[in-house]
Amino acid sequence: MSREDDEKEIEASKAPLMEHLIELRSRLIKALIAFGIAFVGCFFFAKTIYDVLTWPFVWVAGPDSKFIYTGLLEYFVVQLKLAMFGAAFISFPVVATQLYMFVAPGLYRHERHAFLPYLIATPIMFILGAMVVYGAVWPMLTRFSIGMQQLGGEGQATIELLPKVDDYLSLMMRLIFAFGIAFQLPVILTLLGRVGIITSDQLKSKRRYFIVVAFVIAAVLTPPDVLSQMSLAIPLLLLYELSVLSVRWVERKAVADKAKADAAAAAKPAE
C-alpha cells in the first residue's frame, strides 16, 4: 500500500472530538472490566498464589519455614495487594489491546505493523524479568538472609529470621517491578533505533556511561543491599549489550528494505 493510500485511510478514519471521547470511554470501561474480573479471581485464589510466591523461600529454608503477621488485618491487606498485582499482570493484554485499538486508526499501516511487535514484546520481557527474580535472585537473597541468623549461646542472643507476610510480598513485588522495567531496555532502545533517534554506534560509544547509570538505577529500584543491587545491575549491562545487537539488526534490516524498495521503484516502468 502506498503512502497516498495510507493517508486516505487515515482521512477516512477521522472522527469528531466527541466520538473520540466516546470511544476512549468505551476502551477504558473494557479495560477496567478486565482488571476487575482479574482482581476478583486473584483475590479468590490469593492464599494459593501467596503459597506459590513462598516456594523459593521454602525451597532454600526448608519445609518448616514460618511466616508471621503482627497486625489484625495485615494478612487481609496482603491478599488485596496480591490481587491487585495479579490483576495488573493478567489484564495487561486486554488493556494494551484496547490502547492499541484506540491509537491504531491514527497510524499509517506500516506504523501499525512496526508498533505491534513491540507491544507483544513488552509483557514477554516483563515476565522474563519476573522469572529471573523468582528463580534466581530470590533464592540467592534467601540464602544470604538465612546466613545472617545467629544461634543463641553464652553471651549471645538468638537472632532468627521470621519474615512478615507483608514485608515478604512488598519486597518481592518491588524486585519484580524493578526487573520487569529493567528488562524493557532492549524493547525501548530497539524502538528508538527503529525510528532513527539512536544508532548502534551511539550505544557503543556510550557504553562506559551506561555502566554508571546501571548501578544508579539498581540503587534506586532495589533494596539498599549490595546483593540486590548487583543482581539488577549485571542483567542491565547484559541487556544493554543485547540492545546494541538488536539496534544493529534493525539498522541492517532498514537498509535492506530501502535497497529493495529502490530496486522495485527502478524496475517499475515509467508511466
Side-chain angles (χ1 to χ4, degrees):
M1 181 177 288
S2 65
R3 185 179 181 84
E4 290 78 9
D5 293 333
D6 279 340
E7 292 176 349
K8 290 180 181 178
E9 183 181 350
I10 291 180
E11 188 68 27
S13 67
K14 285 184 177 180
L17 176 61
M18 186 57 64
E19 291 187 20
H20 282 301
L21 293 177
I22 292 175
E23 183 184 3
L24 178 61
R25 183 185 65 179
S26 174
R27 301 294 181 193
L28 290 176
I29 290 175
K30 292 177 181 178
L32 289 174
I33 290 175
F35 179 85
I37 294 174
F39 176 84
V40 173
C42 288
F43 184 75
F44 185 77
F45 294 101
K47 293 183 178 180
T48 302
I49 297 173
Y50 195 89
D51 289 338
V52 173
L53 293 179
T54 61
W55 284 352
F57 185 91
V58 174
W59 176 62
V60 175
D64 295 330
S65 303
K66 182 169 65 173
F67 292 80
I68 65 172
Y69 61 93
T70 57
L72 294 178
L73 297 177
E74 180 179 340
Y75 192 35
F76 175 74
V77 174
V78 165
Q79 293 178 55
L80 290 177
K81 289 182 180 179
L82 190 58
M84 292 182 64
F85 196 63
F89 261 105
I90 296 173
S91 65
F92 178 82
V94 177
V95 175
T97 299
Q98 294 301 317
L99 176 63
Y100 176 76
M101 292 177 67
F102 177 74
V103 175
L107 302 175
Y108 292 117
R109 182 180 295 270
H110 71 277
E111 291 175 336
R112 294 199 296 268
H113 291 167
F115 182 72
L116 189 58
Y118 298 97
L119 189 64
I120 297 174
T122 297
I124 292 176
M125 294 302 292
F126 194 98
I127 292 174
L128 182 59
M131 291 174 62
V132 170
V133 173
Y134 187 83
V137 176
W138 202 257
M140 182 172 55
L141 186 61
T142 300
R143 290 190 184 94
F144 177 78
S145 300
I146 292 176
M148 298 295 292
Q149 293 183 119
Q150 177 176 290
L151 298 177
E154 185 176 352
Q156 285 186 332
T158 300
I159 301 176
E160 185 179 1
L161 175 63
L162 293 174
K164 292 180 59 180
V165 291
D166 188 25
D167 292 345
Y168 183 90
L169 179 63
S170 297
L171 181 56
M172 177 167 276
M173 287 172 55
R174 184 175 176 180
L175 286 177
I176 287 176
F177 180 78
F179 275 74
I181 295 299
F183 271 63
Q184 302 305 314
L185 185 64
V187 178
I188 296 172
L189 292 182
T190 304
L191 181 59
L192 293 177
R194 187 182 182 94
V195 299
I197 296 178
I198 61 174
T199 65
S200 59
D201 291 334
Q202 288 176 335
L203 292 178
K204 287 189 289 186
S205 66
K206 305 298 183 184
R207 182 182 284 119
R208 56 183 177 180
Y209 300 110
F210 183 78
I211 294 175
V212 178
V213 173
F215 281 92
V216 171
I217 293 174
V220 172
L221 295 181
T222 61
D225 64 273
V226 177
L227 186 63
S228 298
Q229 293 173 7
M230 291 293 293
S231 299
L232 180 57
I234 293 175
L236 272 175
L237 297 177
L238 296 177
L239 290 170
Y240 187 82
E241 296 301 325
L242 177 63
S243 301
V244 174
L245 298 176
S246 180
V247 172
R248 184 183 302 167
W249 177 80
V250 166
E251 291 171 344
R252 291 176 178 174
K253 187 175 185 300
V255 171
D257 291 343
K258 186 176 184 302
K260 185 177 179 180
D262 292 342
K268 186 176 180 180
E271 296 182 356

